[in-house]
């Protein structure tokens, strides 16, 4: 907030800055009102200075080198410490999790981290066939389980006059 300034008996209201000619050479020095400054030492880089309402402030913000970390679970996170970070660093999936990101592990129609699912990986949770309903020695997947069929082959015929189906 600008202050009221009195120079040579004259009041100047709401003055945000004052420019004073230099005593030697040309130019002027500019002084700003700092009453509304909000930074404190913890918000200024370590060793850097700034001016606030109470004068010069030397920063003491914690400095960190490159941030790094790995995420190895669905809910995994890497905590970024407060402070100034000097280097870029990186955070990514662990090598073990990257190795699992292959099409054969991803359901068809789903893409994870740019890896599309395999058309052979399908959801079988709604399948309801039983072994007796699958031909003998044939396999099917039901509810995520591989099932070997036990049903013997049958012959289906239809009587042309009565339109009746018979299974033998």
């Amino acid at each position: 907030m600008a202050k009221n300034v009195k120079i040579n008996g004259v009041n100047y209201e709401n003055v945000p800055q004052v420019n004073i000619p230099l005593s030697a050479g040309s130019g002027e020095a500019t002084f700003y009102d700092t009453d509304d400054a909000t930074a404190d030492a913890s918000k200024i880089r370590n060793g850097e200075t700034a001016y606030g309402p109470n004068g010069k402030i030397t920063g003491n913000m914690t400095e960190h080198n490159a941030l790094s970390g790995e995420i190895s679970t669905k809910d995994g996170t890497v905590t970024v410490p407060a402070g100034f970070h000097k280097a870029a660093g990186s955070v990514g999936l662990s090598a073990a999790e990257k190795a699992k990101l292959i099409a054969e592990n991803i359901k068809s129609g789903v893409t994870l981290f740019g890896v599309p699912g395999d058309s052979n990986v399908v959801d079988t949770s709604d399948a309801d066939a039983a072994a007796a309903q699958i031909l003998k020695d044939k396999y099917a997947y039901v509810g995520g389980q591989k099932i070997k069929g036990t049903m013997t082959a049958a012959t289906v015929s239809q009587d042309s006059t009565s339109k009746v189906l018979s299974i033998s």
Side-chain angles (χ1 to χ4, degrees), residues 65-98:
N65 287 319
L67 173 68
S68 64
E70 288 186 344
I71 298 173
S72 58
T73 64
K74 176 179 81 166
D75 296 324
T77 61
V78 172
T79 301
V80 177
F84 177 78
H85 297 267
K86 293 190 247 186
S90 65
V91 175
L93 292 174
S94 67
E97 294 307 306
K98 282 183 186 178

Side-chain angles (χ1 to χ4, degrees), residues 100-122:
K100 295 175 190 174
L101 279 173
I102 57 175
E104 293 80 14
N105 289 342
I106 304 171
K107 182 172 80 169
S108 179
V110 174
T111 298
L112 295 177
F113 296 99
V115 180
D118 186 322
S119 62
N120 291 315
V121 181
V122 295

Side-chain angles (χ1 to χ4, degrees), residues 8 11 17 23 25 32 36 45 47 54 81-82 94-96 98 109 114-115 119 122 130 133 166-167:
N8 291 333
N11 285 323
Q17 70 185 47
S23 61
Y32 294 92
D36 61 350
R45 284 182 63 186
N54 297 318
S94 67
K98 282 183 186 178
V115 180
S119 62
V122 295
Q133 297 168 315
S166 60
I167 301 173

